[in-house]
Amino acid sequence: NAGVTQTPEFQVLKTGQSMTLQCAQDMNHEYMSWYRQDPGMGLRLIHYSVGAGITDQGEVPNGYNVSRSTTEDFPLRLLSAAPSQTSVYFCASSPDRDRGLRGYTFGSGTRLTVV
Amino acid sequence: LAKTTQPISMDSYEGQEVNITCSHNNIATNDYITWYQQFPSQGPRFIIQGYKTKVTNEVASLFIPADRKSSTLSLPRVSLSDTAVYYCLVGPNTGKLIFGQGTTLQVKP
């Protein structure tokens, strides 16, 4: 049982390049979400999904796209990378049946640098 | 999701008890109070959740007064390994978490 797996762990992009950050979970969780964390800051929600085929915007969605074709996978696409997108990206999943917010499992993060 | 307010930072020494208070004045009836812990270079992890009164587990205690407008996370006898950022979150589970800046706890020897 691997939990939430994020790839790659590290990535350097040039301004204007596009890429996809991968996130997969093997816990059959309905809810999945993406966050970015800048140095010294809390996590900010980018996009989230409450099930396959359903996605919605979070606090900072601009410059990012998501899709959810399967329960297991929730990739995050950077359309045209900018230095302001340099950050650590975390993916999380949660069962939909939990009361409260206790059920979130986070991946180990992708450290992205845009030069 | 109810907005939360907590201290930006706290310092403590090994062996002391640490109490971190979170204010959530607009908490709704179906909201739970949940705390996450984040170590450097890692994703957050759940530590404790409560609805009312007191909850205790092997890691921490959570005290919630009757009006539920605040809560206090209590860490008994902290060690250097408790140095982390602690986040207070309030709400039902709608598929997303909205984090504040959290409380950075620095434990000194």
Side-chain angles (χ1 to χ4, degrees), chain A:
Chain A
N1 190 342
V4 177
T5 302
Q6 290 186 237
T7 56
E9 185 178 355
F10 298 95
Q11 182 71 49
V12 179
L13 287 179
K14 293 182 179 179
T15 298
Q17 285 185 319
S18 63
M19 79 158 295
T20 299
L21 307 185
Q22 301 292 344
C23 176
Q25 54 93 5
D26 60 0
M27 298 171 284
N28 202 32
H29 285 172
E30 283 299 312
Y31 294 168
M32 295 187 75
S33 46
W34 276 102
Y35 304 83
R36 62 176 287 175
Q37 186 171 35
D38 300 329
M41 304 292 289
L43 288 80
R44 290 185 291 170
L45 179 67
I46 305 171
H47 287 284
Y48 68 104
S49 169
V50 297
I54 306 169
T55 64
D56 206 348
Q57 295 182 352
E59 301 171 282
V60 288
N62 292 340
Y64 308 95
N65 273 357
V66 293
S67 61
R68 183 98 178 271
S69 57
T70 67
T71 298
E72 295 78 20
D73 300 297
F74 191 42
L76 177 72
R77 284 184 291 277
L78 279 70
L79 307 175
S80 176
S84 60
Q85 293 180 304
T86 294
S87 191
V88 181
Y89 292 83
F90 290 101
C91 178
S93 72
S94 164
D96 61 346
R97 61 188 177 278
D98 274 4
R99 286 190 246 176
L101 305 172
R102 64 181 298 155
Y104 283 78
T105 300
F106 284 79
S108 56
T110 293
R111 284 128 188 97
L112 175 69
T113 301
V114 182
V115 297

Side-chain angles (χ1 to χ4, degrees), chain B residues 14-26:
Chain B
E14 283 191 291
Q16 289 188 332
E17 178 184 73
V18 171
N19 296 309
I20 305 173
T21 296
C22 179
S23 172
H24 28 79
N25 291 317
N26 296 322

Side-chain angles (χ1 to χ4, degrees), chain B residues 11-85:
Chain B
D11 288 340
S12 183
Y13 290 93
E14 283 191 291
Q16 289 188 332
E17 178 184 73
V18 171
N19 296 309
I20 305 173
T21 296
C22 179
S23 172
H24 28 79
N25 291 317
N26 296 322
I27 190 168
T29 302
N30 60 343
D31 287 346
Y32 284 74
I33 301 160
T34 312
W35 287 79
Y36 278 76
Q37 174 190 56
Q38 184 181 26
F39 296 117
S41 301
Q42 295 184 25
R45 67 172 190 170
F46 167 80
I47 49 174
I48 199 165
Q49 175 174 289
Y51 184 79
K52 58 182 179 181
T53 64
K54 175 185 173 182
V55 178
T56 296
N57 62 22
E58 65 279 4
V59 176
S61 294
L62 180 60
F63 299 91
I64 305 170
D67 67 4
R68 304 201 325 127
K69 293 183 182 300
S70 67
S71 59
T72 299
L73 174 71
S74 181
L75 304 172
R77 299 178 298 281
V78 295
S79 65
L80 296 176
S81 62
D82 292 314
T83 293
V85 180

